[in-house]
């Protein structure tokens, strides 16, 4: 496949974390983070493609990102920066 259409991503580790989600419109919901890497995560919940969100992860604090894909109650978030380490702060 042509590299301009597909970029490699860091391997994601399977997890099951309950996260609080702050949507761009101020709405707060919860979601289950199903996998995690330094670059992003998979989530179970209702999201809109392109939506800006802040995920508040247990033991890691808030991290901002953008929903890159969403389908059938699942989605993927690309972090604006690397995820904070659990011992940061």
């Amino acid at each position: 496949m042509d590299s301009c259409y597909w970029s490699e991503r860091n391997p994601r580790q399977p997890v099951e974390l309950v996260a609080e989600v702050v949507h761009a419109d101020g709405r707060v919901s919860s979601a289950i983070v199903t996998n995690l890497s330094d670059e992003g995560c998979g989530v179970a919940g209702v999201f809109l493609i392109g939506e800006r969100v802040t995920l508040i992860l247990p033991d890691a604090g808030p991290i901002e990102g953008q929903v890159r894909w969403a389908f059938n109650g699942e989605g993927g978030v690309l972090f604006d920066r690397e995820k904070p380490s659990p011992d940061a702060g």
Side-chain angles (χ1 to χ4, degrees), residues 14-22 28-36 41-45 47 54-63:
V15 296
E16 190 170 324
L17 303 170
V18 177
E20 188 173 81
V21 181
V22 181
V28 178
S29 64
S30 62
I32 303 293
V33 176
T34 57
N35 61 60
L36 187 62
C41 67
V43 289
F47 298 93
T54 301
L55 297 173
I56 302 171
L57 301 169
D59 300 324
I63 186 163

Side-chain angles (χ1 to χ4, degrees), residues 37-82:
S37 77
D38 289 341
E39 298 172 340
C41 67
V43 289
V46 178
F47 298 93
L48 299 173
I49 296 171
E51 177 180 25
R52 303 284 314 158
V53 295
T54 301
L55 297 173
I56 302 171
L57 301 169
D59 300 324
I63 186 163
E64 296 178 356
Q66 182 180 38
V67 177
R68 299 305 299 244
W69 68 270
F71 180 75
N72 202 25
E74 296 185 60
V77 176
L78 178 65
F79 298 145
D80 290 346
R81 56 181 172 76
E82 288 188 4

